[in-house]
Amino acid sequence: MITKIFSRLILTFGLLSVFLSTVKAQTGSLQIPPAPLFEDPIFGGAADPTVFWNYEEEKWWMIYTQRRANSNTSDLAWVHGTAVGVASSTDGLAWIYRGTLGLNFQAGHNTYWAPDLYYEDGIYYLYVSFVEGVPAYNFDAKHKILLFTGQNMWDLTFEKEINLESERVIDPSVIKLSDNEYRMWFKNENAGYTTHYSNSKDLINWDPQGQAEDSTNTEGANVFEWQGKYWMISDPWEGIELFSSSDALDWKKEGMILNKVGQRKDDTAKGHHADVVPMGEFAYIFYHVNPEESFGPTKSWETIGFKQRRSVIQVARLRLENNIVIVDRDEPFPLKLNVPKK
């Protein structure tokens, strides 16, 4: 009897081991992204990501604001003096830090924020926010959006400062609407921290049009086309606000996503300033998180330490159910990024 029981236990444990191994293998084959997806190894302050395919390197690239989170300064210098960080990946799962873009607009140590990238006909168009120097005590300096272009991402040339009829503009997001018709959304800090938009025929010369939608105290608008609609996300520091439109002009509020904390490692705060990569049935949202966030519109950025300054990049999956965007930041999912056509 004991021998039979022991044999059955051996068989049960054997079957269980096979089952767990199978599950592990299947899970591994699904290519579930890690959490966090990426952390800047120099300053620990990766923020404002933009993800795109680099045709020359045949890799996925992530460019981002390289906040100097581990700076010893007790003022605002840590969010200024930032470069555009670069990470690359062959599959969107494992990312390696590559350094920073050599953007030369003005002599000295300056500030670059929130890059956006558009690619067309062999040319990379990099739009990036610029602040002169390293302001230490306030956010009152002039903010500009600059354009750099190049045939590869390591050799970008300054093209021009974009005239958007305001001295305080940041956070560009550019898409193509039709042949020779492009639109940029950006934050106008001189107009109640609102999202404005501008049109272009050539990606270089832009014609400001005014406010895009009626939200105030928001930033980091990002627009993408997916499932037969245009979608806009923005960051009011309470999560990610979501809008939809049939024509990229009239926007309907759809609600908030990433406003509840997650359970994954370092996903334990609201999602901020995000980029979305549509992939057919699903879309992937890349966002930054301050895991121990304790600042915001009513909190002080000046007095916090590294633990609160630290930010990482996470990714979650969007799906559409009954015309409602669903995102579960705790749900394991396969991340599959298909190489776009040139």
Side-chain angles (χ1 to χ4, degrees):
M1 176 65 75
I2 294 177
T3 302
K4 288 183 179 180
I5 292 175
F6 185 72
S7 298
R8 288 176 181 174
L9 287 173
I10 292 290
L11 178 61
T12 300
F13 282 117
L15 291 173
L16 180 60
S17 177
V18 171
F19 172 75
L20 292 175
S21 297
T22 302
V23 169
K24 183 177 180 180
Q26 290 175 344
T27 302
S29 66
L30 288 178
Q31 297 183 308
I32 295 172
L37 183 70
F38 175 75
E39 180 168 6
D40 180 89
I42 307 301
F43 296 110
D48 314 331
T50 289
V51 174
F52 61 95
W53 178 252
N54 185 315
Y55 290 92
E56 280 62 49
E57 289 199 353
E58 296 187 342
K59 294 177 182 178
W60 289 98
W61 265 40
M62 179 192 300
I63 53 177
Y64 59 93
T65 304
Q66 190 183 47
R67 289 180 179 170
R68 298 182 301 134
N70 59 10
S71 168
N72 289 326
T73 179
S74 60
D75 50 42
L76 290 172
W78 70 278
V79 288
H80 292 99
T82 51
V84 174
V86 178
S88 66
S89 173
T90 58
D91 56 10
L93 298 168
W95 293 85
I96 182 171
Y97 176 73
R98 300 286 301 280
T100 60
L101 295 180
L103 303 180
N104 296 311
F105 167 64
Q106 185 172 300
H109 190 158
N110 298 298
T111 301
Y112 294 92
W113 284 338
D116 188 57
L117 194 286
Y118 188 85
Y119 175 87
E120 186 169 270
D121 295 335
I123 302 296
Y124 295 91
Y125 297 81
L126 176 77
Y127 301 89
V128 63
S129 313
F130 174 85
V131 184
E132 182 179 77
V134 187
Y137 302 112
N138 56 56
F139 290 111
D140 295 339
K142 292 181 180 180
H143 297 167
K144 306 176 181 181
I145 291 177
L146 309 179
L147 170 62
F148 294 80
T149 61
Q151 295 182 357
N152 72 77
M153 285 300 296
W154 291 119
D155 297 304
L156 296 171
T157 300
F158 172 68
E159 191 76 38
K160 67 182 300 183
E161 176 185 339
I162 306 298
N163 179 12
L164 296 170
E165 299 180 353
S166 173
E167 292 186 339
R168 288 172 51 79
V169 290
I170 60 173
D171 300 351
S173 172
V174 174
I175 69 167
K176 185 174 186 175
L177 298 175
S178 62
D179 289 344
N180 298 321
E181 186 178 11
Y182 308 88
R183 185 160 295 157
M184 175 194 296
W185 289 263
F186 58 94
K187 177 185 178 182
N188 188 337
E189 297 178 310
N190 281 347
Y193 292 82
T194 54
T195 299
H196 284 228
Y197 72 104
S198 184
N199 293 334
S200 176
K201 298 292 185 182
D202 59 8
L203 290 165
I204 295 174
N205 300 293
W206 293 87
D207 183 17
Q209 300 295 305
Q211 191 165 336
E213 49 84 23
D214 61 6
S215 296
T216 59
N217 292 318
T218 191
E219 64 183 19
N222 181 269
V223 177
F224 57 99
E225 194 172 2
W226 177 55
Q227 298 280 28
K229 288 184 180 180
Y230 293 100
W231 301 87
M232 177 194 291
I233 55 173
S234 66
D235 180 3
W237 310 295
E238 298 175 358
I240 301 297
E241 192 163 20
L242 181 68
F243 305 81
S244 67
S245 174
S246 60
D247 58 6
L249 282 174
D250 296 317
W251 295 96
K252 174 187 174 184
K253 291 187 179 183
E254 298 284 357
M256 298 283 289
I257 59 175
L258 303 178
N259 56 324
K260 297 181 180 179
V261 302
Q263 301 300 314
R264 297 185 299 177
K265 184 177 186 296
D266 288 338
D267 203 18
T268 51
K270 298 177 181 68
H272 290 292
H273 197 131
D275 184 35
V276 175
V277 179
M279 285 287 165
E281 178 184 0
F282 302 108
Y284 301 103
I285 183 166
F286 297 81
Y287 56 98
H288 82 252
V289 176
N290 296 84
E292 298 191 44
E293 183 176 64
S294 64
F295 59 89
T298 60
K299 301 291 180 70
S300 173
W301 286 62
E302 294 95 329
T303 58
I304 60 176
F306 173 68
K307 287 180 65 176
Q308 291 77 35
R309 294 174 176 180
R310 176 176 171 263
S311 57
V312 300
I313 307 300
Q314 302 279 10
V315 63
R317 184 174 68 174
L318 306 180
R319 66 180 188 275
L320 201 60
E321 293 183 5
N322 299 320
N323 289 318
I324 298 175
V325 173
I326 305 296
V327 56
D328 180 355
R329 64 200 293 182
D330 295 328
E331 173 192 27
F333 65 92
L335 176 63
K336 183 172 175 57
L337 299 178
N338 299 317
V339 175
K341 294 181 180 179
K342 199 167 186 177

